[in-house]
Amino acid sequence: MTGTVHDFAIVGAGMAGASIAAELAAHARVCVLEAEDAPGYHSTGRSAAFWEECYGGPGVVPLTLPSGRFLRERGFLNGRGALYVGRGEDRATMDAFMRSFEGTGVTIERLGREGLEARVPHMRADWVDAIWEPACADIDVAGLHQHYLKKLRAAGVDLACRARVANLTREDGIWRIGCEDGREFLAANLVNAAGAWADTVAHMAGAQRLGIDPKRRTVAQLRVSPAAPDDLPLTLDINGGFYFKSDNGRLWLSPHDEVPSEPCDAAPEEMDVALAIDRFEKVTEWRIEAVEHRWAGLRSFAPDRLPVYGPDPLVPGFLWFAGQGGFGIQTAPAAARLGAQIMLGLKADAMTADIDASAYSPERFHAGENARTG
């Protein structure tokens, strides 16, 4: 076996792959294999990302809060605020939402119709309940991604684009990674940061698929009358039926859809755009003048909707960094730091000290096998 043997080969150069590579590169020899012409073509490049404390649920909060401090200190956040809205019949759902975040460190406040109207104009009269999250902010996704790409390049990481993995074999503790174009890479450890393709990569490596399923999310940019105010908060249906936010006088609207999909170059479906518009018109009195742009991306979830970080318990040298759903960008700093500490056997630092790494371990999906073989 000849050629450079890296300590870690990472499959995928989106936000997940770039961030974990940058963290690992301070301690190890790393290469990153990206299937597309450039990093971030899929989910990272199509994100309408926001840092939102409640997004992903209480189990994701330990990753979100320290990531927020990192993002804010480095200028990647632009304040907006978020408002969860509901009708009178949604009161019990709103109450349960408030209770679910008690003791998590999240800052949320219950508002009534008056507080809702002060923040979001043109809401129809039956929307009377709201939960305000003041810390929500837009994320400079491109800037954050470039931050990690610059950091990994400065550390000497080998970043190979158009390097779609075709086959994986392991011999004498070394992964041989063959690409479709004939290139080959060698590494002691293989990190699966392939997003929607995570289970595909796992299967190629001889690991068990964990059920990390891609879901399509659609967003449309609308021109509305009157124009959307720049200070409009991110506005979300408490029941998950829609969200919208302003962008330079336009509105970005999503039906908050999670349509099962094969791993692919996702494209918006007219039906999903129509569904978003129908829901929006039942919520607000804004007049839609045009749908100016539409796009879709894939978000990939593990069965329990928590991310998966760490070594596969059944396949030596195979490491997971996947299943990060729609919260992968907002949690990237803490997730990458934690992932690198797990993979390198390092102790927690100030960013990760309050995170229970076991909650995100792939071992949770193998409890039955471990019990039978233990």
Side-chain angles (χ1 to χ4, degrees):
M1 186 175 293
T2 60
T4 301
V5 179
H6 295 85
D7 298 308
F8 295 91
I10 298 168
V11 181
M15 190 68 77
S19 60
I20 190 66
E23 290 288 345
L24 288 171
H27 308 275
R29 178 175 290 183
V30 178
C31 68
V32 180
L33 311 181
E34 168 56 47
E36 306 297 345
D37 292 345
Y41 175 77
H42 290 286
S43 297
T44 298
R46 306 177 194 195
S47 174
F50 34 80
W51 183 84
E52 200 262 281
E53 288 178 297
C54 301
Y55 197 48
V60 178
V61 171
L63 298 166
T64 298
L65 295 184
S67 293
R69 290 189 287 272
F70 177 99
L71 296 169
R72 191 172 295 107
E73 290 169 0
R74 287 158 179 79
F76 292 117
L77 296 185
N78 184 30
R80 175 180 292 274
L83 198 70
Y84 285 87
V85 296
R87 299 181 175 93
E89 59 265 33
D90 297 322
R91 184 167 299 279
T93 303
M94 303 286 269
D95 291 343
F97 185 93
M98 292 289 294
R99 288 195 300 272
S100 71
F101 288 98
E102 289 177 357
T104 63
V106 164
T107 300
I108 50 178
E109 173 189 359
R110 194 69 172 269
L111 302 176
R113 173 68 190 188
E114 184 177 346
L116 191 162
E117 283 184 307
R119 291 166 174 82
V120 183
H122 314 300
M123 292 288 286
R124 295 191 181 277
D126 53 335
W127 293 84
V128 296
D129 208 349
I131 295 171
W132 172 240
E133 184 198 308
C136 177
D138 293 334
I139 303 174
D140 178 1
V141 178
L144 180 61
H145 193 211
Q146 287 301 315
H147 163 81
Y148 284 120
L149 290 172
K150 182 178 179 180
K151 185 175 178 180
L152 68 84
R153 287 184 177 117
V157 170
D158 296 324
L159 173 58
C161 293
R162 296 179 292 279
R164 188 177 298 276
V165 175
N167 54 77
L168 296 168
T169 57
R170 184 171 170 85
E171 181 181 350
D172 297 329
I174 301 298
W175 288 101
R176 186 185 294 274
I177 306 158
C179 298
E180 288 183 355
D181 64 359
R183 282 180 291 176
E184 187 173 82
F185 298 84
L186 304 175
N189 297 283
L190 182 66
V191 179
N192 184 3
W197 285 264
D199 265 4
T200 302
V201 171
H203 182 69
M204 292 171 63
Q208 177 181 312
R209 298 176 189 264
L210 297 186
I212 296 182
D213 292 329
K215 310 284 189 182
R216 188 177 69 242
R217 170 63 51 87
T218 303
V219 181
Q221 178 177 294
L222 310 178
R223 186 173 76 247
V224 296
S225 180
D230 290 339
D231 62 351
L232 186 75
L234 172 66
T235 304
L236 309 101
D237 176 18
I238 193 65
N239 294 305
F242 62 83
Y243 64 78
F244 58 84
K245 70 173 188 175
S246 58
D247 183 72
N248 293 320
R250 276 28 180 187
L251 273 177
W252 285 13
L253 169 68
S254 173
H256 218 153
D257 50 338
E258 291 185 356
V259 182
S261 172
E262 292 297 317
C264 66
D265 185 356
E269 299 283 346
E270 289 298 328
M271 181 175 65
D272 296 325
V273 175
L275 177 64
I277 290 173
D278 178 66
R279 291 176 178 175
F280 181 74
E281 290 178 334
K282 292 176 180 176
V283 174
T284 82
E285 296 174 348
W286 260 302
R287 186 174 71 255
I288 299 174
E289 296 186 333
V291 178
E292 296 183 327
H293 185 46
R294 66 204 77 192
W295 64 96
L298 299 181
R299 302 132 50 82
S300 303
F301 295 91
D304 60 4
R305 299 183 73 86
L306 293 178
V308 187
Y309 307 140
D312 189 281
L314 304 180
V315 178
F318 186 76
L319 303 147
W320 292 84
F321 195 68
Q324 302 190 69
F327 48 81
I329 293 174
Q330 76 168 37
T331 60
R337 184 71 55 80
L338 176 68
Q341 289 167 352
I342 294 169
M343 295 174 192
L344 294 164
L346 302 177
K347 293 182 179 180
D349 62 5
M351 181 183 286
T352 60
D354 295 328
I355 301 174
D356 176 9
S358 67
Y360 311 120
S361 170
E363 290 190 8
R364 68 190 191 270
F365 298 108
H366 296 271
E369 289 90 340
N370 292 341
R372 287 192 294 271
T373 60

